[in-house]
Amino acid sequence: MALIVQKYGGSSLATLDRIQEVARRVSQRKKEGNDLVVVVSAMGNTTNDLLKLAQQITDQPPARELDMLLSSGERISMALLAMALHQIDVPSISFTGSQSGIVTDTSHTHAKILEIRADRIKEQLTLEKVVIVAGFQGVSTQKEVTTLGRGGSDVTAVALAVALSAKQCEFYKDVDGIYTKDPKQHIDAQKMEHCDYDRVLTLAHAGAKILHSEAVTLAKKHLMPLYIASSFTQHQGTLVEQHH
Ligand code: ASP
Ligand code: MG
């Protein structure tokens, strides 16, 4: 059975309707006969809202406590998605970054993943469960909760895909793929069905908000195929892999 890692971004999970739609999509993919690990971001603007709460107390929140606060956004979406899956009879279990065995260095708010001890995830996959993982977070070598920096759940997804030798890592967003130019600014922008990692990195460095560039670099290093599509439509997305 092929293992797929899917990642759903904040706009794809912004409301309960959206979370239920994601549950249906996950269910569909599972029924096609795949093992699934689903990485989630926080709902909508949750992370920004949490940051604003902290800033109302102090303009210099302790980094450890900021990580405790910001990591809670992804816990909300992972638990709600697990409940939505339960509701449509898809066995699933949610894990925090720490429970997923995502071990990072000790740099609060911009930690780097050092290693993934995926035993619990693997065990749940053998029990036929969809495993939902809170993106953007891990546990440090000092046993503290850490976050990976803004947009870090893309990195979580690729790191998990590599650690679990997934067939591909899929990203579901509010745009339906990668375009030759920013589709919100250029009407002649064209969606690419295929492209290579360097093209994505070039677009990202030019300011396009496609994927976290660290995630793309990691995928390139391990030749992990990436698929970018919309969670709002059934349009075909963009497959990113090395040019042959
Ligand atoms: N929720 C976090 C952020 O907004 C992580 C992510 O979405 O990737 O930065
Ligand atoms: Mg987000």
Side-chain angles (χ1 to χ4, degrees), residues 7 9-10 41-42 44 47-48 74 135-136 149-154:
K7 182 254 172 175
S41 287
T47 309
N48 286 334
E74 273 70 13
F136 172 60
R150 298 307 304 271
S153 40
D154 288 351

